[in-house]
Amino acid sequence: DTAVSQTPKYLVTQMGNDKSIKCEQNLGHDTMYWYKQDSKKFLKIMFSYNNKELIINETVPNRFSPKSPDKAHLNLHINSLELGDSAVYFCASSQTNRGGNLKFSPLHFGNGTRLTVT
Amino acid sequence: GQQLNQSPQSMFIQEGEDVSMNCTSSSIFNTWLWYKQDPGEGPVLLIALYKAGELTSNGRLTAQFGITRKDSFLNISASIPSDVGIYFCAGNAGGTSYGKLTFGQGTILTVHP
């Protein structure tokens, strides 16, 4: 199936641990994102990568380190987890249109990883 | 930074009723999108709007891009139980924002059979 897939779907861990979330898209897109959804369902961008290059970093603590081995994958590693990191993390992808009157390409989202830090 | 105010925060309606929700922004957007999120899943695109004044339909859904480029609304006609979920507006400012979307706070829709 063509999709944005992320693993794991659920992640429960203790404070201070280090964990990773993986994301893969087979839509042929060149841009991938990490969004965080808090307990009030608010969605906020964390990072954006275009062709493996970091484009957007929205003042996220440096405990969060994204890594893009190729344009189809964007992983998120989190060091020294804190209680406030508990949230649902969504990976997304899109195809960037550059210049001219090309339309903005909407984001396609994965189904999320629910991270619970105890 | 850019902010989107989405209203209402929640709606409880009877099956068959029409629904309307809207978003307003403190700044101009070049693109407005409407997404729906079901429990345990990611947001799914419903409608994309690219021009001020544009009115676009997708089945029972209709959305409009406000002329000022600072607002958008979504209407759902003849609601059915599967319309239940969280609806989000989102805007993109264009330029070199590389797909950065600013989201509204969401509207939680409950439909009673």
Side-chain angles (χ1 to χ4, degrees):
Chain A
D1 290 346
T2 55
V4 178
S5 56
Q6 51 184 112
T7 55
K9 187 165 179 65
Y10 299 97
L11 187 52
V12 181
T13 189
Q14 292 184 326
M15 285 175 55
N17 285 348
D18 304 337
K19 290 294 178 184
S20 293
I21 308 172
K22 296 186 175 182
C23 180
E24 175 183 7
Q25 56 92 7
N26 59 6
L27 298 166
H29 291 163
D30 64 355
T31 305
M32 296 185 72
Y33 312 80
W34 280 108
Y35 277 76
K36 179 180 180 181
Q37 186 172 48
D38 62 23
S39 58
K40 295 184 178 179
K41 306 299 184 185
F42 184 65
L43 279 157
K44 184 171 169 57
I45 190 169
M46 300 173 67
F47 300 103
S48 167
Y49 269 74
N50 176 259
N51 281 320
K52 304 192 298 176
E53 180 184 352
L54 179 65
I55 300 298
I56 296 173
N57 181 343
E58 288 287 300
T59 59
V60 177
N62 57 16
R63 297 182 296 103
F64 291 78
S65 53
K67 283 188 172 56
S68 183
D70 56 60
K71 71 176 189 178
H73 295 83
L74 180 62
N75 304 323
L76 183 64
H77 188 76
I78 315 170
N79 291 325
S80 303
L81 278 155
E82 301 177 356
L83 292 176
D85 297 333
S86 295
V88 181
Y89 292 84
F90 285 100
C91 178
S93 71
S94 70
Q95 182 63 32
T96 299
N97 295 317
R98 300 176 187 272
N101 292 320
L102 295 176
K103 289 182 179 179
F104 171 81
S105 177
L107 275 61
H108 295 252
F109 286 84
N111 282 332
T113 296
R114 180 175 293 279
L115 171 65
T116 304
V117 183
T118 62
Chain B
Q2 294 167 326
Q3 292 183 338
L4 289 184
N5 291 314
Q6 184 172 348
S7 63
Q9 289 187 356
S10 61
M11 301 184 74
F12 298 84
I13 62 170
Q14 291 292 130
E15 183 176 359
E17 290 183 357
D18 297 344
V19 171
S20 184
M21 59 193 79
N22 67 80
C23 268
T24 58
S25 169
S26 57
S27 56
I28 288 172
F29 286 109
N30 287 349
T31 302
W32 282 92
L33 305 173
W34 285 91
Y35 283 86
K36 183 192 177 196
Q37 184 178 17
D38 290 328
E41 298 184 9
V44 174
L45 181 70
L46 298 174
I47 292 179
L49 302 160
Y50 298 102
K51 287 170 54 176
E54 179 181 354
L55 184 71
T56 298
S57 293
N58 178 7
R60 294 177 296 105
L61 277 61
T62 301
Q64 184 158 30
F65 191 143
I67 292 176
T68 65
R69 294 165 63 193
K70 291 186 177 181
D71 62 319
S72 177
F73 73 75
L74 174 71
N75 285 344
I76 305 173
S77 62
S79 58
I80 59 178
S82 62
D83 290 335
V84 165
I86 306 177
Y87 291 80
F88 291 98
C89 63
N92 174 260
T96 57
S97 58
Y98 281 92
K100 176 182 174 181
L101 284 179
T102 300
F103 279 84
Q105 304 97 322
T107 296
I108 301 172
L109 179 63
T110 303
V111 180
H112 295 288

